[in-house]
Amino acid sequence: MSQTTPQNPSLQGLSQQAREAKSWPFEQARLLLDRVLKLRLSDAERDLAASLIVEGKVAEAVAALPALNRAVVFQCGFGASGLPHMGTFGEAARPTMVRNAFRALTGDHWPTRLIAFSDDMDGLRKVPEGIPNPQMLAEDLHKPLTTVRDPFGTHDSFGAHNNARLRAFLDSFGFDYEFLSSTEQYRSGRFDGTLLTLLERFDAIQAIMLPTLGAERRETYSPFLPISPITGHVLQVPTLERNVEKGTIVFDDPAGGRTELPVTGGHVKLQWKPDWAMRWTALGVDYEMSGKDLIESVRESGKICRALGGVPPEGFNFELFLDIEGKKISKSKGNGLTMEEWLRYGTPESLSWYMFQSPKSAKSLHFNVIPRAIDDYLAFIEAYKTQEPAKRIDNAVWSIHAGNPPTHTSPVSFALLLNLVGVANASTKDQLWAYFARYLPEATPQNEPLLDQLMERALNYYEDFVKPTKAYRLPDDKEKAALLDLAARLSALPADTTDGEVIQAEVYAVGKDHGFEPLRAWFGALYEVLLGASQGPRFGSFAAIYGLPQTIALIQAGADGRLAGEAPE
């Protein structure tokens, strides 16, 4: 991927709006801008840059101040011991949203980079479940992931295999990033200068880390993890001696006794908190987010970063997702939702929408949130079309689509499709498209691709989650009278009526005439009696697509009790 992203016209000319935007990506972008100006410029230069930026003259500021030509660096980190998952998506999606906000804030005149860093030099600690050739992995335990043999037989190492999967995953969602391998960076010498600084300031790093550890671990802890020249294992052993002039450490290798190795050139790696701090320093990272569970780690890594002469990046800790019972999601427990599962029932855009919402609040991540996420995303797209520019920039779809959301999405909601699948007893997209041939005669899978995608996902979701929970009920006397009245009124309309508003007007009129108060009680009765659910789509639109004669027959069946499994009296 490219080191920096070409200018995007959709992100230009928005500096004033970006300064006033209230959504969290812009709040973060403004904090990031303050940080970068403070770190890179003198007081006088900072005053000049700030005044030019406020006037919307970022290009002039960048041209006048060479320090602003250096890219602003965003980073997201990934473990290389497993395959991409839901958290992987969030790790890339959220900083990308802040990056886009920063680009808008600076008129897209300031170069930016997003580093996707794979921690693939870690030692393999255990054999992952569900992996082929587990015995092979068991034989390679404790070796760096990039020297562990690939159990899939497709790459040079297990780390290389998982890195390829990670990159394919990020590419499939269109993320713009620069991939960095920990192994390659250590071996290439890119980290050598910072590693030598850490060696020199070893005691200061120990003073930060040791108070955070238990008594037993304090006895053996070292920030350096040497790689045994005999076994190739990543060793957690004490550092017995340090030679700052030679750039080496001495340790006791269980396989070969007292050993001296350079801390440079990939002969050692760092424990993860010092490693995180070292990367921030060596790569000049300006922004990185992390989960709430890493608050203490961020604090300790920040102290180490300062001890190395660096400045910790800007960022914040986002809340973790919860399962349907409100418990923390755990990969080992399997109580979460996988990427494959979300994409079986929802779209990538709906997941981005869900990731955008309230990142500092805990939210359930379960199957039941997907339909609402899809329809909320569609609603935000529709709202965007009529919003004034100052409001548009705070709309989630602006951040999801880097300032250029689609002008057309789906003509109907996901909730409506779910109910259509159930009532029509559909099992294929062709059956659903047959209903739309009358309602939207010009629509085809080619010119309504999102609708076509939503049909497939609605079929999947209905079969797996809605169908097993369908529970029709009998109408009471008041509801039955209203249903029969509605059937009669719809029968008076032309049979080929496809105007959902005309049908909806009759539904409203019946509810009012039969004294439903509040009126939502009438719609609740329609959903529960006719659709077997507590909620449903706009009934007029549903009837227009399903067909008026079929809808009338459905209403009559519900009024007679046939949908609830009882024969009419």
Side-chain angles (χ1 to χ4, degrees), residues 164-181:
R165 293 288 294 272
L166 169 63
R167 298 180 71 172
F169 176 88
L170 296 175
D171 291 343
S172 70
F173 293 105
F175 288 116
D176 178 78
Y177 65 95
E178 175 189 352
F179 178 80
L180 293 185
S181 155

Side-chain angles (χ1 to χ4, degrees), residues 80 82-84 131-132 145-146 148-167:
L83 300 179
I131 297 293
L145 289 158
T146 43
V148 172
R149 289 168 291 175
D150 180 15
F152 297 92
T154 58
H155 292 77
D156 292 339
S157 68
F158 188 39
H161 174 272
N162 289 343
N163 284 341
R165 293 288 294 272
L166 169 63
R167 298 180 71 172

Side-chain angles (χ1 to χ4, degrees), residues 101-310:
F102 182 86
R103 294 172 64 187
L105 180 65
T106 57
D108 206 20
H109 295 292
W110 199 329
T112 61
R113 296 164 51 209
L114 172 63
I115 293 173
F117 193 93
S118 172
D119 199 5
D120 58 15
M121 201 171 169
D122 259 355
L124 179 65
R125 296 180 180 88
K126 64 179 181 179
V127 178
E129 295 181 5
I131 297 293
N133 300 311
Q135 182 57 39
M136 176 193 295
L137 290 182
E139 294 171 359
D140 288 352
L141 283 176
H142 310 301
K143 292 182 179 180
L145 289 158
T146 43
T147 59
V148 172
R149 289 168 291 175
D150 180 15
F152 297 92
T154 58
H155 292 77
D156 292 339
S157 68
F158 188 39
H161 174 272
N162 289 343
N163 284 341
R165 293 288 294 272
L166 169 63
R167 298 180 71 172
F169 176 88
L170 296 175
D171 291 343
S172 70
F173 293 105
F175 288 116
D176 178 78
Y177 65 95
E178 175 189 352
F179 178 80
L180 293 185
S181 155
S182 177
T183 302
E184 292 176 0
Q185 302 310 303
Y186 270 97
R187 290 178 179 173
S188 71
R190 188 170 187 179
F191 292 156
D192 283 359
T194 313
L195 289 167
L196 290 171
T197 300
L198 195 149
L199 179 65
E200 177 187 344
R201 302 176 187 179
F202 182 93
D203 290 337
I205 307 306
Q206 291 289 78
I208 294 168
M209 287 302 304
L210 294 183
T212 70
L213 305 174
E216 184 176 346
R217 190 153 187 242
R218 281 200 297 269
E219 294 297 320
T220 61
Y221 182 86
S222 169
F224 293 108
L225 299 173
I227 298 174
S228 169
I230 299 173
T231 63
H233 291 180
V234 180
L235 303 176
Q236 295 214 30
V237 293
T239 295
L240 303 178
E241 297 178 18
R242 291 178 292 122
N243 190 322
V244 175
E245 291 74 19
K246 292 171 61 179
T248 63
I249 58 171
V250 176
F251 60 96
D252 188 14
D253 187 336
R258 199 173 185 88
T259 304
E260 183 175 12
L261 283 179
V263 299
T264 54
H267 292 93
V268 307
K269 80 172 298 290
L270 297 179
Q271 299 269 10
W272 83 272
K273 291 179 186 177
D275 184 85
W276 204 6
M278 181 274 295
R279 280 191 271 135
W280 287 345
T281 306
L283 300 176
V285 177
D286 295 297
Y287 191 89
E288 182 162 4
M289 304 166 72
S290 57
K292 185 179 179 181
D293 57 334
L294 296 181
I295 288 177
E296 290 298 324
S297 299
V298 170
R299 184 177 297 119
E300 302 308 323
S301 295
K303 293 177 182 177
I304 296 171
C305 180
R306 294 186 184 92
L308 294 174

